[in-house]
Amino acid sequence: MARYGMLINTKKCIGCYTCLVACHRQNNLLPTENFIRFEERETGTYPNVGVENIPLQCMHCEDAPCAAVCPTGATYIGPGGVVAVEEGRCIGCKYCMAACPYQVRVVNESTGTVDKCRFCTVTATDGTKTCSCVEACLTGARTFGDLDDPESDVSKAIVELNAKPIAGDLTKAKIFYVR
Amino acid sequence: MTFVPVWGGIIACYLFLAGLGGGAFITASLVKRMHPEATGVVRVGRVIAPIVVIVGLCLLMVDARGGLYNPLRFVFLLTNPGSVMTWGVVILAVFVLAALIVLLMDLIGKNEAPAWLVWVGNVFGILTAAYTGVLLGVVNTFPLWNNALLPVLFIVSALSTGMAAVMLGGLITCPEQVKGMVDLTKVHLVLPAIEIVLFFFLLFIVAHVSTAGAASVAAMVSGGYALAFWVGIMAVGLVIPLVIEIRALRSGDNRGLAIAGDVGVLIGGYLVRYIIIVAALPVVLL
């Protein structure tokens, strides 16, 4: 079984939000339901300064704290290591939102349940090649694939660009960042 | 990014009432042992205990909208034995059941509730209070929650608020019985004192854990929640009730003052939960 992961190259990210728009369309989300959150960080010391755009979304952690605390088992780690939410079991207690150190879970205001990035590319493999945020990115900042396959684009890119999880070993995250 | 707390007043109220219920039941047991003549006060404690926990559980269900719209989903609450919230559901269910049976037997008055059942209530009362702290304690997103001192603080606060609620009920319904309860007053006095010490340890240690911990503590002691913390929790909830109790031991009861002190403990107890929920800031990622 594959172990899906993603690489996000913040050096290529221009903060245009196209991935977010594509995500909304692909997953049919409410306007308030953002699976991708953008952090802007100032870097350097004056006069050599810059701005870093960092898109954050569910890291599909192998040791997902959200799944560990979910009292109803609505959040679980599914095939391919994708952290998923079974809406029909979610009571909306928001314990997972507290437990997620990345704060990338959102409440669906119409159902009261909690949702997040679904790594939708995995189920969309028949139709589109990669999930829509990956396809839509104008600068090619995102790479998706099987982390267990050393020949996959994502595995090669992680090695080549020395990509790392956003917050060290806070959790065993499967999104790798180039910064 | 400006962080928006995940939970707010409703969940703070739930944690407060769950702790208060456990504390009230234990207070009733203590009164029965230390002052067996104060039957009215025991009754007050046993009435309060299940009712407030049930109200708290209703609040929880109102906050959990996914379940509110589809109540059958609450059945799934028992399916993840690794989740502290699942333990909480079991603990609260056992406590409410035990407290209700004890209350019913008390009201019918034919037989005394069996001692083992009262002990089940006592133990699960403590567990209820502890659960509210552990629920937050296992969340490593927030340094203010993620420590072993928080459950202890919540247990002490639960006993203190439970006792205050029972004394308050007693002062209103049977003030002559409350008057002679010197031993319980001493217990009631020690709790806020312990709480002040625990609070100091908690804040001092969390302030040294990480930048997020320091920022959370700063928000409480000198930031946006400073007024609620110093006036609401420290003055109204802890120091003033402590002074009132000491005065009562030295120069006799004063009903008005005692009521004021107990109301203060309850206000402070709620604010403890509320501030700890909303002032907690997440670990810094970037």
Side-chain angles (χ1 to χ4, degrees), chain B residues 242-271:
Chain B
L242 186 64
V243 172
I244 290 176
E245 295 285 348
I246 293 173
R247 194 205 147 273
L249 276 185
R250 287 203 173 155
S251 43
D253 288 326
N254 176 318
R255 186 156 171 258
L257 271 180
I259 289 179
D262 289 332
V263 170
V265 170
L266 294 179
I267 294 172
Y270 169 74
L271 284 175

CSV table of all heavy atoms in Angstrom, one decimal, chain B residues 242-271:
chain,number,residue,atom,x,y,z
B,242,LEU,N,-11.5,33.2,51.1
B,242,LEU,CA,-10.5,32.7,52.1
B,242,LEU,C,-10.6,33.6,53.4
B,242,LEU,O,-10.7,33.1,54.5
B,242,LEU,CB,-9.1,32.7,51.5
B,242,LEU,CG,-8.0,32.1,52.3
B,242,LEU,CD1,-8.2,30.6,52.5
B,242,LEU,CD2,-6.7,32.3,51.6
B,243,VAL,N,-10.6,34.9,53.1
B,243,VAL,CA,-10.6,35.9,54.3
B,243,VAL,C,-12.0,35.7,55.0
B,243,VAL,O,-12.0,35.7,56.3
B,243,VAL,CB,-10.4,37.3,53.7
B,243,VAL,CG1,-10.7,38.3,54.9
B,243,VAL,CG2,-9.1,37.5,53.1
B,244,ILE,N,-13.0,35.6,54.3
B,244,ILE,CA,-14.4,35.4,54.9
B,244,ILE,C,-14.4,34.2,55.8
B,244,ILE,O,-14.9,34.2,56.9
B,244,ILE,CB,-15.5,35.4,53.8
B,244,ILE,CG1,-15.6,36.8,53.2
B,244,ILE,CG2,-16.8,34.9,54.4
B,244,ILE,CD1,-16.6,36.8,52.0
B,245,GLU,N,-13.8,33.1,55.3
B,245,GLU,CA,-13.8,31.8,56.1
B,245,GLU,C,-13.0,32.0,57.3
B,245,GLU,O,-13.4,31.5,58.4
B,245,GLU,CB,-13.3,30.7,55.2
B,245,GLU,CG,-14.1,30.3,54.0
B,245,GLU,CD,-15.4,29.5,54.4
B,245,GLU,OE1,-15.5,29.1,55.5
B,245,GLU,OE2,-16.2,29.4,53.5
B,246,ILE,N,-11.8,32.6,57.2
B,246,ILE,CA,-11.0,32.8,58.4
B,246,ILE,C,-11.7,33.6,59.4
B,246,ILE,O,-11.7,33.3,60.6
B,246,ILE,CB,-9.6,33.5,58.0
B,246,ILE,CG1,-8.8,32.5,57.1
B,246,ILE,CG2,-8.8,33.9,59.2
B,246,ILE,CD1,-7.6,33.1,56.5
B,247,ARG,N,-12.4,34.7,58.9
B,247,ARG,CA,-13.1,35.6,59.8
B,247,ARG,C,-14.2,34.8,60.5
B,247,ARG,O,-14.4,34.9,61.7
B,247,ARG,CB,-13.7,36.7,59.0
B,247,ARG,CG,-14.2,37.8,59.9
B,247,ARG,CD,-15.3,38.6,59.2
B,247,ARG,NE,-16.3,39.1,60.2
B,247,ARG,CZ,-17.3,38.4,60.6
B,247,ARG,NH1,-17.6,37.2,60.1
B,247,ARG,NH2,-18.2,38.9,61.5
B,248,ALA,N,-14.9,33.9,59.8
B,248,ALA,CA,-16.0,33.1,60.3
B,248,ALA,C,-15.5,32.2,61.4
B,248,ALA,O,-16.1,32.0,62.5
B,248,ALA,CB,-16.7,32.3,59.2
B,249,LEU,N,-14.3,31.6,61.3
B,249,LEU,CA,-13.7,30.7,62.3
B,249,LEU,C,-13.4,31.5,63.5
B,249,LEU,O,-13.5,31.0,64.7
B,249,LEU,CB,-12.5,30.0,61.8
B,249,LEU,CG,-12.7,28.8,60.9
B,249,LEU,CD1,-11.4,28.1,60.6
B,249,LEU,CD2,-13.6,27.8,61.7
B,250,ARG,N,-12.9,32.8,63.4
B,250,ARG,CA,-12.4,33.5,64.5
B,250,ARG,C,-13.5,34.2,65.3
B,250,ARG,O,-13.6,34.2,66.5
B,250,ARG,CB,-11.4,34.6,64.0
B,250,ARG,CG,-10.1,34.0,63.6
B,250,ARG,CD,-9.1,35.1,63.7
B,250,ARG,NE,-7.7,34.5,63.5
B,250,ARG,CZ,-6.7,35.2,63.0
B,250,ARG,NH1,-6.9,36.5,62.7
B,250,ARG,NH2,-5.6,34.6,62.8
B,251,SER,N,-14.5,34.9,64.5
B,251,SER,CA,-15.5,35.7,65.2
B,251,SER,C,-16.9,35.3,64.9
B,251,SER,O,-17.8,36.1,64.9
B,251,SER,CB,-15.2,37.1,64.9
B,251,SER,OG,-14.9,37.3,63.5
B,252,GLY,N,-17.1,34.0,64.5
B,252,GLY,CA,-18.5,33.5,64.3
B,252,GLY,C,-19.1,33.8,63.0
B,252,GLY,O,-18.5,34.6,62.2
B,253,ASP,N,-20.2,33.1,62.7
B,253,ASP,CA,-20.8,33.1,61.4
B,253,ASP,C,-21.5,34.4,61.1
B,253,ASP,O,-22.0,35.1,62.0
B,253,ASP,CB,-21.8,32.0,61.3
B,253,ASP,CG,-21.1,30.6,61.2
B,253,ASP,OD1,-20.0,30.6,60.6
B,253,ASP,OD2,-21.6,29.7,61.7
B,254,ASN,N,-21.4,34.8,59.9
B,254,ASN,CA,-22.2,35.9,59.4
B,254,ASN,C,-22.8,35.5,58.1
B,254,ASN,O,-22.1,35.2,57.1
B,254,ASN,CB,-21.3,37.2,59.2
B,254,ASN,CG,-22.1,38.3,58.6
B,254,ASN,OD1,-23.0,38.2,57.7
B,254,ASN,ND2,-21.9,39.5,59.1
B,255,ARG,N,-24.2,35.3,58.1
B,255,ARG,CA,-24.8,34.6,56.9
B,255,ARG,C,-24.6,35.4,55.6
B,255,ARG,O,-24.2,34.8,54.6
B,255,ARG,CB,-26.3,34.5,57.2
B,255,ARG,CG,-27.1,33.7,56.2
B,255,ARG,CD,-28.3,33.1,56.8
B,255,ARG,NE,-29.1,32.6,55.7
B,255,ARG,CZ,-30.2,33.2,55.2
B,255,ARG,NH1,-30.6,34.3,55.7
B,255,ARG,NH2,-30.9,32.6,54.3
B,256,GLY,N,-24.7,36.7,55.7
B,256,GLY,CA,-24.5,37.5,54.5
B,256,GLY,C,-23.2,37.3,53.9
B,256,GLY,O,-23.0,37.1,52.7
B,257,LEU,N,-22.2,37.4,54.8
B,257,LEU,CA,-20.8,37.3,54.3
B,257,LEU,C,-20.5,35.9,53.7
B,257,LEU,O,-19.9,35.8,52.7
B,257,LEU,CB,-19.8,37.6,55.5
B,257,LEU,CG,-19.4,39.0,55.7
B,257,LEU,CD1,-18.4,39.1,56.9
B,257,LEU,CD2,-18.7,39.6,54.4
B,258,ALA,N,-21.0,34.9,54.4
B,258,ALA,CA,-20.8,33.5,54.0
B,258,ALA,C,-21.4,33.3,52.6
B,258,ALA,O,-20.8,32.7,51.7
B,258,ALA,CB,-21.4,32.5,55.0
B,259,ILE,N,-22.6,33.8,52.4
B,259,ILE,CA,-23.3,33.7,51.1
B,259,ILE,C,-22.4,34.4,50.0
B,259,ILE,O,-22.1,33.9,48.9
B,259,ILE,CB,-24.7,34.3,51.1
B,259,ILE,CG1,-25.6,33.4,51.9
B,259,ILE,CG2,-25.2,34.5,49.7
B,259,ILE,CD1,-27.0,33.9,52.0
B,260,ALA,N,-21.9,35.6,50.3
B,260,ALA,CA,-21.1,36.4,49.4
B,260,ALA,C,-19.8,35.6,49.0
B,260,ALA,O,-19.4,35.5,47.9
B,260,ALA,CB,-20.7,37.7,50.0
B,261,GLY,N,-19.2,35.0,50.1
B,261,GLY,CA,-18.0,34.2,49.8
B,261,GLY,C,-18.2,33.0,48.9
B,261,GLY,O,-17.5,32.7,48.0
B,262,ASP,N,-19.3,32.3,49.2
B,262,ASP,CA,-19.6,31.1,48.3
B,262,ASP,C,-20.0,31.5,46.9
B,262,ASP,O,-19.6,30.8,46.0
B,262,ASP,CB,-20.8,30.3,49.0
B,262,ASP,CG,-20.3,29.6,50.3
B,262,ASP,OD1,-19.1,29.3,50.3
B,262,ASP,OD2,-21.1,29.4,51.2
B,263,VAL,N,-20.7,32.6,46.7
B,263,VAL,CA,-21.0,33.0,45.4
B,263,VAL,C,-19.7,33.4,44.7
B,263,VAL,O,-19.5,33.1,43.5
B,263,VAL,CB,-22.0,34.3,45.4
B,263,VAL,CG1,-22.1,34.9,44.0
B,263,VAL,CG2,-23.4,33.8,45.9
B,264,GLY,N,-18.8,34.0,45.4
B,264,GLY,CA,-17.5,34.4,44.9
B,264,GLY,C,-16.7,33.1,44.4
B,264,GLY,O,-16.2,33.1,43.3
B,265,VAL,N,-16.8,32.1,45.2
B,265,VAL,CA,-16.1,30.8,44.8
B,265,VAL,C,-16.7,30.3,43.5
B,265,VAL,O,-15.9,29.8,42.6
B,265,VAL,CB,-16.2,29.8,45.9
B,265,VAL,CG1,-15.7,28.4,45.4
B,265,VAL,CG2,-15.4,30.2,47.2
B,266,LEU,N,-18.0,30.4,43.4
B,266,LEU,CA,-18.6,29.8,42.2
B,266,LEU,C,-18.2,30.7,40.9
B,266,LEU,O,-17.9,30.1,39.9
B,266,LEU,CB,-20.1,29.8,42.4
B,266,LEU,CG,-20.6,28.8,43.4
B,266,LEU,CD1,-22.2,28.9,43.5
B,266,LEU,CD2,-20.2,27.4,43.1
B,267,ILE,N,-18.3,32.0,41.1
B,267,ILE,CA,-17.9,32.9,40.0
B,267,ILE,C,-16.4,32.6,39.6
B,267,ILE,O,-16.1,32.4,38.4
B,267,ILE,CB,-18.0,34.4,40.4
B,267,ILE,CG1,-19.5,34.7,40.6
B,267,ILE,CG2,-17.4,35.3,39.3
B,267,ILE,CD1,-19.8,36.1,41.2
B,268,GLY,N,-15.6,32.5,40.6
B,268,GLY,CA,-14.1,32.3,40.3
B,268,GLY,C,-13.9,30.9,39.7
B,268,GLY,O,-13.2,30.8,38.8
B,269,GLY,N,-14.7,29.9,40.1
B,269,GLY,CA,-14.6,28.5,39.6
B,269,GLY,C,-14.9,28.5,38.1
B,269,GLY,O,-14.2,27.8,37.3
B,270,TYR,N,-16.0,29.2,37.8
B,270,TYR,CA,-16.3,29.2,36.3
B,270,TYR,C,-15.2,29.9,35.5
B,270,TYR,O,-14.8,29.5,34.5
B,270,TYR,CB,-17.6,30.0,36.1
B,270,TYR,CG,-17.9,30.2,34.7
B,270,TYR,CD1,-18.3,29.2,33.8
B,270,TYR,CD2,-17.7,31.5,34.1
B,270,TYR,CE1,-18.5,29.4,32.5
B,270,TYR,CE2,-17.9,31.7,32.8
B,270,TYR,CZ,-18.3,30.7,31.9
B,270,TYR,OH,-18.4,30.9,30.6
B,271,LEU,N,-14.7,31.1,36.1
B,271,LEU,CA,-13.7,31.8,35.4
B,271,LEU,C,-12.4,31.1,35.2
B,271,LEU,O,-11.7,31.2,34.2
B,271,LEU,CB,-13.5,33.2,36.1
B,271,LEU,CG,-14.6,34.2,35.9
B,271,LEU,CD1,-14.3,35.5,36.7
B,271,LEU,CD2,-14.7,34.6,34.4
